[in-house]
Amino acid sequence: MLDRERVFTARCADEAGAFLAAKNLFLSAPSPRAKSGDFAAFNTIYAPGLYLSCIRYGAAVEISAPAERGDYGLAVPLEGASAATGENGFEACTGARTILASPGRPQRSRFGAGSRRLALSVARETVRRRVSALTGAPVAGDVAFAPGLDLGSGPGRIVRDAMFLVAEAQDRGREVFADPLRAANFEETVLNTLLLHHDHSHAALFERRARAPATRDVKRAIDFIEANLDQPLRLGCIVAEAGVSGRALSAHFRDATGLSPMAYLRLARLRAARASLERGEAASVTDAAFRFGFLHLGRFSGAYLEAFGETPSETLARGRRRFSAETG
């Protein structure tokens, strides 16, 4: 699976350990070399904020992820034995049930010799952004999912099927994640399913009374805001474009989004600055901040950290690493 997407082959434990250490994962193995063939093989396809891998180990290994890990991970075993720490210590991972790892919780995983799995990794910022999109407000803290995930039914089955669908399409020669529409559809399917139907720490946000549908004036205002994020906008301009009084627009805006028009503008600009940093379009944090109207860098950094759980510099560094990996 994903055999044409080989990104790294390790001949020994040291090589595999160095590759995993770059992802803040730590490997230990009872023997330095596999009994036959290569020690480990990593086949991976990348999309913004997530990647899908088929990983094989020729020897028994244990992998540790610290609490400060920056991503979510789950794996569907394909061959061999595997286990991971859940709520009750080590739990076996099978084709019917796996462990969903979250930032903020250390985890250990064990894989037998000859094991092979299809693994999904999603950046914490991708999850936070999806929660914000679904709830209409910035998210405080990391989302911690319930570790146990059934793969034979419910949300786990949908996520598993989506992973296999992408892997199988890739094996047929379709560059799935190279297509922004297909990549976005995969992300939305996986994250919307888990956030709306699997237990997690921020579930209460999704149980609130549903927002009222956006009225025409709110839709006009949002379209105007999104089309002019790099322009100096005032509330009067937004109100004039919406075609209603400022009081009516504010009331309708709060009903539909939970935010005032200016709070929505601020959050939209933060998201635009973040996208610019992630894609490598901004030369620096200052460049991204100034482009989208944030003239006070300290306030920009504070608001950015509150909204996304990381500093703009961290986003910029990650974007540059991804760009180097994709072009190198």
Side-chain angles (χ1 to χ4, degrees):
M1 188 171 286
L2 301 179
D3 290 336
R4 293 183 296 181
E5 314 303 331
R6 181 67 52 86
V7 296
F8 189 74
T9 300
R11 294 167 296 179
C12 62
D14 287 345
E15 289 183 356
F19 177 78
L20 292 170
K23 303 178 182 296
N24 203 22
L25 300 172
F26 304 95
L27 178 144
S28 60
S31 60
R33 183 177 294 276
K35 293 181 179 179
S36 61
D38 296 318
F39 184 90
F42 304 87
N43 306 332
T44 305
I45 54 175
Y46 297 91
L50 60 87
Y51 57 88
L52 185 67
S53 302
C54 184
I55 303 171
R56 176 183 59 79
Y57 287 107
V61 299
E62 180 170 309
I63 297 173
S64 300
E68 58 268 26
R69 64 183 298 157
D71 62 350
Y72 297 79
L74 67 89
V76 180
L78 303 174
E79 293 181 273
S82 63
T85 50
E87 293 179 324
N88 302 305
F90 272 101
E91 300 180 24
C93 295
T94 68
R97 182 175 173 82
T98 193
I99 296 298
L100 173 53
S102 301
R105 291 195 301 242
Q107 189 195 41
R108 293 158 62 202
S109 301
R110 292 172 179 167
F111 304 99
S115 67
R116 193 167 62 97
R117 70 191 192 277
L118 185 63
L120 174 65
S121 178
V122 183
R124 72 199 319 163
E125 297 80 18
T126 303
V127 174
R128 289 169 62 89
R129 186 167 58 245
R130 176 58 47 183
V131 173
S132 180
L134 291 172
T135 62
V139 180
D142 286 320
V143 175
F145 286 101
L149 182 65
D150 290 331
L151 296 172
S153 62
R157 174 66 178 269
I158 295 173
V159 172
R160 186 199 70 177
D161 288 350
M163 292 167 62
F164 275 102
L165 178 66
V166 167
E168 290 165 0
Q170 191 77 22
D171 287 343
R172 292 195 303 270
R174 176 172 288 174
E175 299 291 332
V176 182
F177 287 168
D179 180 345
L181 181 61
R182 289 188 172 91
N185 179 68
F186 176 75
E187 177 189 314
E188 290 175 5
T189 298
V190 169
L191 294 187
N192 287 2
T193 297
L194 291 174
L195 289 167
L196 294 172
H197 301 290
H198 187 61
D199 188 30
H200 57 82
S201 58
H202 289 54
L205 294 177
F206 298 84
E207 295 169 2
R208 298 179 306 183
R209 178 180 63 83
R211 298 287 182 194
T215 55
R216 285 187 180 182
D217 56 299
V218 171
K219 291 177 181 177
R220 285 195 295 266
I222 288 176
D223 287 345
F224 179 68
I225 288 171
E226 296 289 350
N228 295 278
L229 293 177
D230 56 352
Q231 299 299 315
L233 296 182
R234 296 285 186 269
L235 180 59
C237 299
I238 300 172
V239 169
E241 187 68 25
V244 296
S245 69
R247 178 175 295 181
L249 179 62
S250 293
H252 296 167
F253 226 95
R254 288 188 183 279
D255 287 341
T257 70
L259 301 170
S260 70
M262 298 309 289
Y264 182 93
L265 171 62
R266 177 172 174 269
L267 181 58
R269 282 176 165 164
L270 284 170
R271 289 172 176 162
R274 179 177 179 78
S276 178
L277 292 168
E278 286 182 324
R279 293 193 295 259
E281 297 173 351
S284 65
V285 170
T286 301
D287 180 40
F290 284 6
R291 176 183 173 186
F292 294 103
F294 297 97
L295 303 181
H296 191 293
L297 290 180
R299 292 173 187 166
F300 168 70
S301 296
Y304 192 100
L305 178 61
E306 180 182 357
F308 305 119
E310 68 173 358
T311 66
S313 297
E314 290 170 333
T315 305
L316 178 62
R318 189 180 65 255
R320 286 175 173 170
R321 288 195 301 270
R322 181 182 297 123
F323 178 79
S324 297
E326 291 174 351
T327 58

